[in-house]
Amino acid sequence: MQLKPLADRIVVKVISKEERTKGGLYLPDTAQEKPQEGEVLAVGSGKVLENGQKLLPEVKVGDHIIFSKYAGTEIKLDGEELVIFSERDVLAILDK
């Protein structure tokens, strides 16, 4: 199944890192902070401004991003956990 976000929304696959303490102990999921890094899987066509112009998205498919901590709506699609949120919740694009 393919997911096509509308307007200025994007679909992101969250990249979760394995959490360990400095002493080497693994932290359970319940003790970890919510991940804030992900890979963009789909991008909407852009936001329509009040004057009728379309503002094209700054992110593109494949970008690795940092986003707001509690942004978006989590969904499960084909066994993958994804997040859909507005592009304004993107804080930065990571250069790799």
Side-chain angles (χ1 to χ4, degrees), residues 54-95:
K54 187 173 276 197
L55 181 62
L56 297 176
E58 290 187 54
V59 297
K60 61 186 181 302
V61 174
D63 281 347
H64 286 262
I65 60 168
I66 295 175
F67 52 90
S68 297
K69 192 170 209 147
Y70 296 104
T73 302
E74 296 176 0
I75 62 166
K76 199 168 206 174
L77 185 66
D78 295 334
E80 271 191 302
E81 291 189 26
L82 307 173
V83 181
I84 300 175
F85 54 85
S86 178
E87 186 184 30
R88 71 176 173 263
D89 292 322
V90 175
L91 303 174
I93 298 172
L94 296 170
D95 282 335

Side-chain angles (χ1 to χ4, degrees), residues 19-65:
E19 294 286 328
R20 289 189 346 177
T21 63
K22 289 183 181 179
L25 299 174
Y26 287 96
L27 295 173
D29 288 342
T30 54
Q32 294 178 15
E33 287 192 22
K34 187 174 177 181
Q36 293 176 266
E37 187 177 327
E39 178 184 359
V40 178
L41 299 180
V43 179
S45 61
K47 182 178 184 176
V48 178
L49 303 174
E50 288 182 22
N51 64 5
Q53 290 183 321
K54 187 173 276 197
L55 181 62
L56 297 176
E58 290 187 54
V59 297
K60 61 186 181 302
V61 174
D63 281 347
H64 286 262
I65 60 168

